Every structure is written in C-alpha cells, then in structure tokens.
C-alpha cells in the first residue's frame, strides 16, 4: 500500500478494537490496498446505502467488532461524513474520508508510481494546480525547451520500468517535436532514429534542434545501443556528432567523447551514465592497434572520475543496495525479473561473466543485437564471481550466503530455490553454464525462467597477459563475431523468451603494484583484492591497499575481510594485466539490457 494512502488512514492501521468507517467515493483503494489493510484488521466493503444499513444493523450492532473492524464505503452517495446515516456517524469510533492527492488526469500514473516518484508527484500537486506544471515540477523538466524536454524523455527511456501511464501524460504536455515523438510512442525511438539519420545526412530535419541542445542525451542513447550509428555526410555538424558516425577515427572519437563527458554524477543514475560513457572511451582506446595519442588524457579523466566514485561508494553504496530504482544492484535482478514472469513473460537471463561496459559496447555491435531497454547495476563488492554472480542467482545480498561466499557451487540451487519460492514449478526452471565457444552447442532454454552463464569474456580477460586491454578488446570482438551470443539470443527470441543480459562484475587494466609476501596468511590473493580470514591479519597489510567492509557483506560471519588495491594498481609484477575484484567504476557498475537478435 502506498505512503499517500497510509498517511490519510491515520490511526486506523494501529487500532486493535472498535469500528472505523472509511469513505472512498472516488475509488482510491484498489484490491491490493484492501488486501494489505486486511492484514491488520477486519475489512467489510459496502457499495450502497442498503449494504451499509445491513452491515451496521446486522453485524456491527451485534458486537461483531473484534478485532478492529473497518467498514469501507465505496459509493458516490457518501462523499462526506454528513452523508452517512446519523446513527452510523455517531456510533463509529472514527470516520475517515479518502481523497486523491492529484488531479484526475494523474490518478492512473500515481497508482503505478514507485514510492519516490509518487512522493514527488503528490508534493508537486500540493504546490501547483495545472497538470503540466505538476509534472514539470515532479520530473524536473523545463517545458518548451527542446534540450530539456529531450533530456527528460531520454532519462525516462533509459529506465526499463518507466510506466506507460507517464508516457501518456507527457504526450499531452510536451511541446517540442523530438521529445513529443518519444512520448507519443510510449518510449519508441523510431522517429528519433529517422531524425538522427536525416540530420547526419543533410544537417537539418524537424526535431534535430534537440540534438544540438542536448548532446548528452544523444550520447546516452548511443552508448546504450538504443540509437544506432549512421553515416555522416552533412557539413557543419558539431564535432561531438562524430561519436554517432559509422567507423569514426579512433583518436577523434576519443577526443569527442572526452569533450562530452557527463556532468558530475550525484546519484546512482548519474554514475551509471558515467560508467557507460567511460566504457565507450575505454573501448575506443583499446580498439586501436597502437595506443592513440590521447590515451593518457583518457586515463587521466578516468583517474579523476574514479577518485570521486570511490568516495561516493563509501557513503552511498549501502543505501543504493536498498534503492527502488530498477536493477539498482545485482541482487535485485531476479526479483525484478519475477515481476515480468508474474505478468506472463517467459524470461531468459544471460550472465556474461566479467563483462564491463568497455566490452559491452563493442560486443552488442559485433553481435548485431537490438537493444530494447538498457541501464546499469551495482555489482556486489568485492567484485568477485563467487560473491557477485552468486548474488544474482540467489536474489539476495552476500550476507545471506556467507557459508558459500568463496564458491559458486551453490548458485544453481539458489537460482532454483528463488523461483520455486515465487511459485514457479521446478520443471519450469533451467540453468546452464557454458564457455560459449564456437564449436559448442547453443544452450537451449526451457521452462518459464532460464539462466545461461557464459564464461567466454572472463576467460579472455584472464588470458590477456601480453597486450592487456587491447588483447581483451580483440578477443571479445572476435568471440562476438563467431555468432554464439547472436544465435543464443535469436533462438531464445524465436522461442518466445524475453532476453536480458548482464554481468557479475566488470574489469580493469591494471598497473603493476607491490605484492605483499604473506604466504598462507592471506585466504585469497587476487589481482585487485586480497581476502584475509580476520581483521587483524588484514590490518597488518593495510599499507598495501584500502580497507573497507562493504555493506551487504557480513565479513565477520564469512571470515572474509577484503583489502582492495588502490587506484588502478594490481597485486602483480610485470606488464599490465586485466583483473577484477576491486572498487573501480569499471568493476562495480555493469550493464543490464533487454535485447533481441
């Protein structure tokens, strides 16, 4: 039940005896709200004068008020307390009149809004009267401004759970062509793609003014794969438009991306956008056969960004794990997909082990995947497979599987347990783990919920000891072109599955750093994190890294105390190695996308 209903009910939910009358002439309460109220008291619903009279005379007056009884009168006849029969009004312990806190045009939207959005909407309705003014205040959009309107619809389009009711409201109030086309199509970008293609070809086109006014929004769509690249033929386009060109020059692409860096992120959505942007920069650097001239500038930008990200993690990682944002953290993936299954969908979850945004961007292009929804998610920290991938399949935080924190052996059992707990039959649940090689069979999903773990990218990462990130980039693109992922998604789509792709953690090309000589003192020695069996032993190695006990991980119960490599360093000697386990932006924020082939 929503907060705005609860606030109007006052003490009704805390009473233990007596009788209350609730007037609901506008139909505020739905079946779900009534069921929630019925968990705390006895609820009797009536919808006319005769029904109220019968309940009051034959039930209430005969003493049937234990436990606390709530008579909910859902009739337009009773719009105010004075409309009740005199005896009912005076014999009830209290009478409450429910009201919608927003105008009629926004009621459908309020019903489906998450608590945070609902709060913003009701607050705005208390300060504004017009529909357009309320929505503009609640969702932070400047109406009539092409850039602001387009930025708003793109931000909402990048949220996989933006309700159709919001698109319907926006369609009635947005005024600029590009933004209006997205709202009219309930998030469909067909018209935006046509306008984009036309702008790159001719340099004009209705709605193209939004691209010039909001380049960050365009880059966000391109990075997510929701807007496709096209040939550039027009003269006089902004330099950043090269980012959306087919086969742009690597060094020029890097330069334009660096010039279009998202503004300083302040929340999870901002950090997801920054992670996607940096993934484009890093993939462009890695795709060049020789290090481009601006590679150092790119990594300097990364260093400045990552320092801020680590600071943000320390204060905001814990609250973000509990966020209502869609797919905010990887342990929420299964619960979010459960909603899709409840709505009748068959779901396939593909977990590509070790894939960060730097691999996702070129991978989806090389595999010719069509992205339908795209966002990002926080991995579990430390960013190790046994911690983060297990959280995906368990649908819980690592503290809930402390006994198996160092192994993935229980993840299939946890995946099946999660779904049987959501009412799915055992025979309708499948789980497959595969390398993803081109000579192996394509895993066949079956049942209502299926999972496929693909280890190809992680294997490429751990074998990149010669050329580091460039070796990873070449290996991932070659693997994508073999067709394994394309065929897997294509077969699933043909079988009626809604296919989602994510990863358990990203990765980082590291620089050699000091390696503590500890022998058997350390429990697990990785490139980016070292795990100790107790806090004392970890403290003795504090000079070699950062000490932090991340929220969601019960270090005491698991005897699992992490020491993180600082900055971009790794616990190794010699050449650059690509690893994971740490706290960098590259490792912690991973892509989540709904795709088709």
């Amino acid at each position: 039940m929503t907060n705005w209903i609860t606030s109007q009910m006052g003490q009704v939910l805390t009473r233990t005896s007596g009788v209350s009358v609730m007037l609901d002439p506008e139909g505020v309460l739905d079946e779900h709200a009534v069921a929630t109220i019925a968990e705390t008291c006895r609820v009797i619903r009536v919808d006319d004068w005769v029904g109220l009279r019968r309940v009051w005379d034959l039930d209430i007056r005969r003493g049937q008020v234990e436990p606390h009884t709530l008579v909910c009168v859902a009739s337009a006849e009773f719009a105010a307390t004075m409309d009740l029969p005199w005896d009912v009004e005076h014999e009830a312990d209290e009478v409450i009149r429910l009201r919608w806190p927003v105008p009629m045009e926004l009621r459908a939207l309020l019903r489906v809004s998450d608590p945070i959005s609902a709060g913003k909407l009701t607050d705005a309705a208390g300060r504004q009267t017009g529909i357009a003014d309320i929505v503009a205040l609640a969702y932070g959009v400047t109406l009539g401004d092409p850039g602001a309107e387009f930025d708003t619809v793109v931000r909402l389009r990048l949220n996989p759970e933006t309700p159709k009711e919001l698109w319907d409201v926006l369609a009635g109030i947005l005024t600029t062509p590009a933004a209006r086309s997205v709202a009219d199509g309930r998030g469909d970008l067909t018209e935006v793609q046509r306008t984009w293609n036309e702008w790159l070809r001719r340099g004009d086109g209705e709605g193209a003014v939004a691209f010039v006014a909001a380049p960050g929004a365009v880059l966000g769509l391109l990075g997510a794969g929701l807007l496709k690249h096209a040939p550039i033929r027009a003269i006089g386009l902004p330099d950043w438009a090269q980012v959306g060109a087919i086969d742009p020059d690597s060094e020029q692409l890097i330069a334009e991306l660096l010039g279009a860096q998202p503004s300083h992120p302040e929340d999870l959505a901002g950090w997801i956008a920054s992670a996607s942007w940096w993934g484009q920069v890093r993939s462009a650097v890695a795709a060049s056969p020789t290090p481009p001239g601006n590679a150092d500038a790119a990594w300097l930008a990364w260093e400045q960004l990552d320092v801020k990200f680590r600071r943000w993690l320390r204060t905001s990682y814990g609250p973000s794990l509990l966020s209502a944002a869609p797919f905010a953290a990887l342990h929420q993936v299964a619960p979010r997909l459960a909603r899709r299954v409840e709505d009748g969908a068959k779901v396939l979850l593909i977990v590509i082990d070790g894939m960060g945004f730097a691999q996702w961007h070129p991978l989806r292009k090389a595999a010719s995947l069509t992205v339908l929804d795209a966002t990002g998610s926080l991995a579990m920290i430390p960013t190790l497979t046994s911690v983060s991938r297990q959280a995906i399949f368990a649908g819980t935080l690592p503290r809930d599987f402390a006994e198996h924190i160092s192994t993935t052996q229980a993840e299939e059992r946890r995946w099946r347990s999660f779904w049987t707990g959501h009412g799915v039959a055992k025979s309708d649940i499948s789980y497959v783990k595969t390398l993803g090689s081109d000579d192996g069979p394509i895993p066949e999903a079956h049942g209502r919920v299926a999972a496929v773990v693909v280890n190809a990218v992680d294997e490429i990462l751990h074998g990149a000891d010669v050329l580091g990130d460039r070796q990873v980039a070449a290996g991932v693109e070659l693997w994508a072109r073999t067709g394994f992922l394309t065929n897997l998604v294509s077969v699933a789509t043909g079988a009626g599955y809604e296919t989602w792709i994510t990863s358990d953690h990203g990765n980082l090309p590291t620089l050699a750093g000091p390696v503590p000589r500890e022998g058997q003192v350390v429990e697990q020695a990785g490139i980016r994190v070292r795990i100790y069996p107790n806090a004392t032993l970890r403290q003795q190695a504090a000079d070699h890294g950062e000490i932090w006990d991340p929220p969601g991980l019960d270090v005491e119960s698991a005897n699992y105390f992490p020491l993180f490599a600082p900055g971009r360093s790794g616990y190794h000697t010699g050449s650059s190695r690509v690893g994971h386990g740490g706290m960098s932006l590259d490792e912690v924020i991973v892509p989540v996308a709904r795709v088709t082939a």
Side-chain angles (χ1 to χ4, degrees):
M1 187 165 57
T2 57
N3 292 336
W4 58 270
I5 295 179
T6 302
S7 65
Q8 293 188 50
M9 295 185 65
Q11 298 180 346
V12 167
L13 298 177
T14 60
R15 284 182 174 272
T16 58
S17 62
V19 58
S20 302
V21 175
M22 179 176 291
L23 304 181
D24 186 21
E26 297 176 334
V28 172
L29 294 181
D30 57 16
E31 293 298 328
H32 174 71
V34 171
T36 302
I37 297 171
E39 295 175 0
T40 62
C41 66
R42 177 185 176 215
V43 178
I44 302 176
R45 301 190 72 177
V46 297
D47 55 13
D48 56 23
W49 189 93
V50 174
L52 174 61
R53 193 75 266 170
R54 182 183 298 112
V55 166
W56 204 264
D57 293 339
L58 301 181
D59 195 350
I60 302 301
R61 281 194 172 150
R62 293 184 179 182
Q64 303 298 319
V65 294
E66 294 288 349
H68 173 227
T69 297
L70 175 66
V71 179
C72 181
V73 186
S75 169
E77 294 180 72
F78 303 101
T81 302
M82 64 182 65
D83 295 331
L84 290 169
W86 186 91
D87 57 332
V88 174
E89 178 185 354
H90 289 81
E91 291 174 11
D93 291 287
E94 62 183 328
V95 178
I96 298 171
R97 204 280 198 187
L98 288 181
R99 300 179 185 276
W100 284 97
V102 297
M104 181 177 295
E105 295 87 344
L106 298 177
R107 292 176 183 177
L109 173 59
L110 183 63
R111 278 202 186 279
V112 299
S113 295
D114 61 75
I116 294 177
S117 298
K120 291 180 178 179
L121 199 60
T122 55
D123 179 66
R127 299 161 61 186
Q128 301 287 344
T129 54
I131 303 301
D133 292 333
I134 293 172
V135 174
L137 180 60
Y139 292 93
V141 56
T142 302
L143 295 175
D145 181 287
E149 287 196 359
F150 190 64
D151 187 74
T152 296
V153 296
V154 169
R155 173 163 44 88
L156 295 171
R157 182 61 182 83
L158 292 174
N159 179 346
E161 295 185 359
T162 295
K164 67 180 186 301
E165 290 82 359
L166 178 53
W167 291 124
D168 294 341
V169 170
L170 290 174
I173 66 173
L174 296 178
T175 60
T176 56
R180 181 65 179 268
S181 72
V182 179
D184 284 340
R186 289 182 171 177
D188 183 79
L189 296 170
T190 301
E191 183 61 23
V192 171
Q193 183 70 62
R194 186 196 67 76
T195 304
W196 171 252
N197 295 348
E198 186 74 3
W199 185 54
L200 295 186
R201 185 172 69 87
R202 297 177 47 185
D204 58 9
E206 186 181 21
V209 64
F211 302 152
V212 178
V218 177
L219 295 179
L221 291 177
L222 287 167
L226 295 170
L227 186 64
K228 298 184 184 302
H229 293 64
I232 288 185
R233 297 193 179 94
I235 299 174
L237 297 179
D239 290 341
W240 63 262
Q242 290 290 332
V243 176
I246 292 177
D247 297 326
D249 174 76
S250 293
E251 193 155 334
Q252 183 179 1
L253 174 60
I254 295 166
E256 301 307 338
L257 283 168
L258 291 176
Q261 181 174 351
S263 58
H264 177 63
E266 298 178 351
D267 54 17
L268 178 56
W271 282 113
I272 291 172
S274 291
S276 178
W277 165 83
W278 167 248
Q280 295 177 73
V281 177
R282 182 180 150 192
S283 64
V285 172
S288 179
T290 58
N294 48 8
D296 289 342
W299 281 107
L300 177 60
W302 172 89
E303 183 178 352
Q304 296 169 344
L305 187 64
D306 202 64
V307 167
K308 296 175 183 177
F309 178 66
R310 287 170 179 257
R311 192 180 304 131
W312 179 84
L313 278 182
R314 296 270 185 169
T315 59
S316 303
Y317 181 72
S320 296
L321 294 181
L322 305 176
S323 170
F327 303 105
L330 287 178
H331 73 291
Q332 297 176 353
V333 169
R336 291 284 176 175
L337 296 185
R339 297 184 184 183
R340 303 295 305 131
V341 174
E342 289 171 3
D343 291 338
K346 289 201 309 181
V347 171
L348 167 64
L349 175 64
I350 302 173
V351 179
I352 303 179
D353 196 305
M355 178 189 68
F357 272 106
Q359 292 78 46
W360 169 240
H361 290 315
L363 176 59
R364 60 175 170 74
K365 295 176 187 176
S368 300
L369 298 180
T370 297
V371 178
L372 304 176
D373 287 300
T375 184
S377 185
L378 289 169
M380 300 297 102
I381 302 175
T383 49
L384 297 171
T385 299
S386 62
V387 179
S388 202
R389 198 174 79 191
Q390 194 164 188
I392 296 175
F393 292 115
T396 61
L397 291 167
R399 65 187 178 210
D400 296 320
F401 50 83
E403 72 278 15
H404 293 120
I405 198 71
S406 298
T407 176
T408 61
Q409 292 180 354
E411 69 181 23
E412 179 179 358
R413 173 169 57 82
R414 293 185 183 280
W415 172 252
R416 295 183 182 278
S417 176
F418 172 86
W419 287 106
T420 54
H422 281 74
V424 179
K426 292 181 179 180
S427 58
D428 265 339
I429 307 166
S430 67
Y431 169 98
V432 177
K433 189 184 297 184
T434 178
L435 177 60
S437 58
D438 59 349
D439 59 351
I442 299 298
E444 183 177 350
H446 65 269
R448 292 173 59 195
V449 290
V452 176
V453 176
V454 183
N455 286 323
V457 172
D458 199 55
E459 291 292 325
I460 292 171
L461 297 177
H462 294 298
D465 294 339
V466 179
L467 298 177
D469 218 21
R470 284 183 290 155
Q471 188 173 345
V472 170
V476 168
E477 177 154 358
L478 178 59
W479 175 70
R481 294 189 183 283
T482 63
F484 174 87
L485 185 60
T486 307
N487 292 334
L488 174 59
V489 175
S490 180
V491 170
T493 301
Y497 282 93
E498 181 178 289
T499 302
W500 291 82
I501 293 179
T502 190
S503 172
D504 53 349
H505 55 75
N507 56 82
L508 184 71
T510 64
L511 305 175
V515 182
R517 303 300 179 185
E518 298 170 310
Q520 295 183 347
V521 168
V522 64
E523 193 84 3
Q524 184 176 343
I527 292 177
R528 290 281 294 159
V529 66
R530 296 170 73 84
I531 307 298
Y532 295 82
N534 58 61
T536 301
L537 292 175
R538 179 179 62 176
Q539 186 61 43
Q540 293 174 1
D543 291 342
H544 295 280
E546 296 182 45
I547 290 178
W548 185 44
D549 295 333
L553 174 67
D554 188 343
V555 296
E556 296 285 349
S557 297
N559 296 320
Y560 201 84
F561 295 82
L563 179 72
F564 298 98
R568 196 182 155 196
S569 67
Y571 295 118
H572 64 87
T573 59
S575 60
S576 173
R577 295 177 61 185
V578 183
H580 59 88
M583 301 162 53
S584 74
L585 182 69
D586 303 60
E587 297 162 288
V588 174
I589 298 185
V590 297
V592 179
R594 181 167 67 95
V595 302
T596 186

